Amino acid sequence: MSSDAKTTKKRKALSSSADAEDAPPDDAASSSSAAEAQSPKKPPNPYDSIKHCIVDNDGSHDSLVKLIGLKSLFSRQLPKMPKEYIVRLVFDRRHRSLALLNPDPEVRGSDEEIIGGICYRAYPEMRFAEIAFCAVSASQQVKGYGTKLMNLLKRHAVTEGVDYFITYADNYAIGYFKKQGFTKVMCLI
């Protein structure tokens, strides 16, 4: 049996986080203004406080520094993956990456700035994206960053016209992807 498993993600999960954000809070505070009373305040989004960015190879210095940090992270966390393959995909102009950034200003611009990342390639004409790499720094694991990373990617994917994700996961990563709602059965509707 192969150590890889083909997985897919349906749109329902993509839109569920956006739908939850649009729901008004249960205990909206009363206001003295009629206009404010008609539009209830949205609850704070827990992902707004996380520093993150979408990085692509646009040739700018800042993007290249972040891509090098992502390449280093993927190389450290995915030791069985050939380094040349990681470099080729991370720096490919058709691939984009979502990077979680360390809020500490002392590590800005270094490899330690990137605490997690997902490298993917979107195929908007077919409404899906392939996740090539997904990793969180060893020192930052078991803190929920993997879930936050995937949820941020789902939110962003909607803006790119992506309804589905596919990926190939080794036996160690299958549990993570199942936790994120992926299945081994591919069913595009």
Side-chain angles (χ1 to χ4, degrees), residues 49-53 66 70 73 76 98-117 136-137 139-140 143 145 149:
S49 63
I50 299 172
K51 286 184 66 174
H52 64 280
C53 63
K66 285 184 175 48
L70 285 160
L73 172 73
R76 275 193 315 272
L98 171 65
L100 283 184
L101 307 175
N102 190 331
D104 184 358
E106 292 183 16
V107 297
R108 179 156 168 60
S110 72
D111 279 359
E112 295 173 17
E113 181 182 21
I114 308 291
I115 59 175
V136 174
S137 175
S139 64
Q140 301 297 325
K143 296 181 181 180
Y145 285 121
L149 191 62

Side-chain angles (χ1 to χ4, degrees), residues 54-68 91 93:
I54 297 292
V55 187
D56 52 6
N57 189 355
D58 61 6
S60 72
H61 176 74
D62 191 46
S63 292
L64 292 174
V65 167
K66 285 184 175 48
L67 289 172
I68 290 170
F91 286 93
R93 292 183 185 264

Side-chain angles (χ1 to χ4, degrees), residues 87-127:
V87 169
R88 189 176 70 207
L89 293 189
V90 168
F91 286 93
D92 180 35
R93 292 183 185 264
R94 296 171 295 186
H95 284 75
R96 303 181 89 189
S97 296
L98 171 65
L100 283 184
L101 307 175
N102 190 331
D104 184 358
E106 292 183 16
V107 297
R108 179 156 168 60
S110 72
D111 279 359
E112 295 173 17
E113 181 182 21
I114 308 291
I115 59 175
I118 295 181
C119 178
Y120 68 97
R121 180 176 175 185
Y123 297 87
E125 65 281 354
M126 296 172 63
R127 299 182 9 233

Side-chain angles (χ1 to χ4, degrees), residues 1 11 28 34 37 41 47 53 58 61 69 74 79 83 106 182:
M1 183 171 185
R11 177 159 172 74
K41 292 183 180 179
Y47 296 113
C53 63
D58 61 6
H61 176 74
F74 296 140
K83 307 286 186 259
E106 292 183 16
F182 283 66

